[in-house]
Amino acid sequence: MIEMWDDDKINAFQATLLTWYDQEGRSTLPWRQDREPYHIWVSEIMLQQTQVQTVIPYFERFMATFPTINDLAMAPEQLLLKTWEGLGYYSRVRNMQKAARQIIDDYAGSWPDNMQELQKLAGIGPYTAAAIASIAFDEPVPAIDGNAFRVFARLFKIDADIAQPKTRKIFFELGQQIIDQKRPGDFNQAIMDLGSSYMTAKNYDSEHSPVKAYNAAYLDGTEALYPVKSKAPKPKPVTYFAIAVKSPAGYLWEQRPTKGLLGDFWMMPLYALTDFILDNDAHWTEEEMIQATQKRLAADYGVVADLKRVPGRPVTHVYTHLKWTVTILTATVKKQNLQRGQWQTMADIQNDPQPKIQDKIWQRLK
DNA sequence: GAGCCGTGGGC
DNA sequence: TGCCCAAGGCT
């Protein structure tokens, strides 16, 4: 059971926090120059699981490309993905377009102004809804993100596991009690700024934090114990062959399926070894695996190619839940009619949205 | 509710 | 290198 503050302590905390925020907060961030819901929204989506320094140039480019919600609603998908290329979690930008269309179709182009209604929009969950509602519309709802979890856990010595979804309720209700009713948006952003400066996950410096007098874990020397967070499972290893087939018309190039990892991005053909090699109990040499892949390539794409392994270590890439190990196979062929995919010149490939792992493969082919 | 969904940075 | 971390949401 946590020890709740009385009204005097809450008021004093708010005053201390907001005074610090007014003086030391990151007021120059490009999405803090006004309170346009569109600007707040785009920044909040980009900032999900992504650091501020990474987001800044993407935010500027996104606003130049899609100045209004109407521009976003009408954008072709390839431009969406190209604008988001490198940010990751690409469903974020697809959902943004869905939400833009929802606002136009269901709300006559005018933003809903409260947390409950905002959560009906695609890609907007409890955190983002509270952030937009408080920052753009002054609704006094706490925005419970990773920063708020960490800061509140230390201030109040909360030992619930923040990796568990049900824990959110504890923090939200606590936040409701201590949020500043007059400046809820600034309160939420101040907690975030605190969480990314003095009260980071590692190398925190609570000694110099403006709210150290309110930090129960710091005061009794148990700060290292908070927040409590169970470990995520390790990424599962997956092994692929990537097939780099070059013809006079360009590389064999194919768009990935819409659903799942890297949906609708362009890549070279990939074969997971488990798809057709490890399903039986046979022991395969690498040469046998390459030969099997070559036959598969002919059957799937109609491409006859003498595949050679690119020397050196395979390319690796770690996702949140997967670890890819990719061995590259290459061949140079005449232009052949394709059953799947297309021949694409390097000039055109540059314009296609493609994932980081594909970029690593290009680097290896240089 | 557990698994899925990217990438870059720090140590 | 192999972890963990960074303004989460969807299924």
Side-chain angles (χ1 to χ4, degrees):
Chain A
M1 203 56 192
I2 68 167
E3 184 179 338
M4 191 52 211
W5 299 342
D6 61 27
D7 287 350
D8 286 345
K9 187 165 180 179
I10 290 172
N11 289 332
F13 173 77
Q14 292 171 352
T16 301
L17 178 70
L18 289 173
T19 297
W20 169 76
Y21 177 76
D22 289 340
Q23 293 169 0
E24 309 289 340
R26 296 172 289 182
S27 60
T28 61
L29 293 174
W31 48 87
R32 287 188 181 173
Q33 303 314 303
D34 58 57
R35 295 174 47 175
E36 280 297 313
Y38 181 60
H39 298 165
I40 305 302
W41 173 53
V42 172
S43 72
E44 291 299 340
I45 300 295
M46 286 187 171
L47 286 162
Q48 290 171 7
Q49 306 292 290
T50 310
Q51 296 194 349
V52 166
Q53 315 89 281
T54 302
V55 164
I56 290 173
Y58 279 92
F59 180 84
E60 306 280 16
R61 240 177 293 138
F62 194 95
M63 285 308 163
T65 309
F66 310 114
T68 72
I69 201 166
N70 290 297
D71 299 311
L72 176 57
M74 295 185 301
E77 191 203 17
Q78 293 300 293
L79 180 58
L80 284 185
L81 293 179
K82 194 67 186 173
T83 307
W84 209 265
E85 182 180 47
L87 261 187
Y89 287 141
Y90 298 96
S91 65
R92 290 185 289 177
V93 71
R94 305 170 196 279
N95 281 333
M96 283 179 77
Q97 185 170 60
K98 283 185 200 167
R101 292 172 177 172
Q102 282 178 277
I103 291 170
I104 293 167
D105 295 344
D106 301 346
Y107 296 90
S110 166
W111 277 85
D113 65 356
N114 62 85
M115 178 178 173
Q116 183 174 347
E117 206 65 26
L118 284 162
Q119 274 193 87
K120 296 179 180 175
L121 300 173
I124 297 187
Y127 162 73
T128 305
I132 298 171
S134 62
I135 297 169
F137 301 113
D138 286 323
E139 186 182 5
V141 283
I144 307 301
D145 68 335
N147 290 303
F149 274 124
R150 187 169 56 252
V151 170
F152 292 172
R154 290 175 183 162
L155 295 186
F156 292 91
K157 295 180 63 177
I158 302 170
D159 41 26
D161 182 358
I162 66 169
Q164 293 290 324
K166 62 182 180 183
T167 302
R168 169 175 298 278
K169 178 177 161 67
I170 299 172
F171 285 76
F172 185 82
E173 290 176 353
L174 173 63
Q176 282 183 302
Q177 295 185 60
I178 64 172
I179 193 170
D180 190 295
Q181 300 291 313
K182 290 189 168 59
R183 299 177 59 188
D186 288 343
F187 179 95
N188 282 330
Q189 293 182 93
I191 294 294
M192 297 179 211
D193 284 13
L194 200 55
S196 56
S197 57
Y198 295 102
M199 297 184 70
T200 48
K202 298 178 176 180
N203 301 325
Y204 42 84
D205 181 19
S206 298
E207 170 63 28
H208 298 99
S209 159
V211 299
K212 74 171 182 179
Y214 301 86
N215 187 338
Y218 166 75
L219 292 174
D220 73 0
T222 59
E223 203 178 8
L225 302 178
Y226 302 93
V228 175
K229 186 179 184 183
S230 57
K231 271 188 290 188
K234 284 169 53 170
K236 183 182 158 190
V238 188
T239 307
Y240 289 98
F241 282 144
I243 317 299
V245 184
K246 189 177 188 177
S247 82
Y251 279 92
L252 180 52
W253 198 235
E254 187 176 26
Q255 194 169 24
R256 291 172 60 83
T258 298
K259 295 286 184 183
L261 185 66
L262 306 173
D264 282 348
F265 272 76
W266 290 84
M267 283 193 74
M268 293 172 177
L270 283 182
Y271 285 108
L273 269 53
T274 50
D275 280 355
F276 63 106
I277 289 177
L278 299 182
D279 283 348
N280 58 47
D281 292 329
H283 285 282
W284 296 65
T285 66
E286 184 174 77
E287 186 53 37
E288 287 170 336
M289 291 190 279
I290 293 172
Q291 290 305 314
T293 303
Q294 195 166 295
K295 286 177 184 167
R296 190 64 174 268
L297 187 72
D300 290 345
Y301 294 85
V303 169
V304 178
D306 182 21
L307 296 174
K308 301 292 186 191
R309 185 190 194 288
V310 170
R313 304 305 303 168
V315 174
T316 62
H317 192 76
V318 181
Y319 299 95
T320 305
H321 61 297
L322 296 174
K323 179 179 180 178
W324 281 16
T325 299
V326 181
T327 298
I328 307 168
L329 306 180
T330 61
T332 302
V333 302
K334 291 184 283 189
K335 184 178 178 184
Q336 307 173 40
N337 290 328
L338 296 174
Q339 297 169 10
R340 268 172 57 184
Q342 61 188 65
W343 298 115
Q344 184 90 320
T345 64
M346 275 307 291
D348 287 336
I349 282 172
Q350 312 272 2
N351 295 322
D352 288 330
Q354 46 193 306
K356 186 66 185 174
I357 179 64
Q358 180 61 64
D359 195 50
K360 290 184 179 178
I361 293 169
W362 289 124
Q363 296 302 318
R364 190 59 61 90
L365 287 169
K366 276 185 180 173

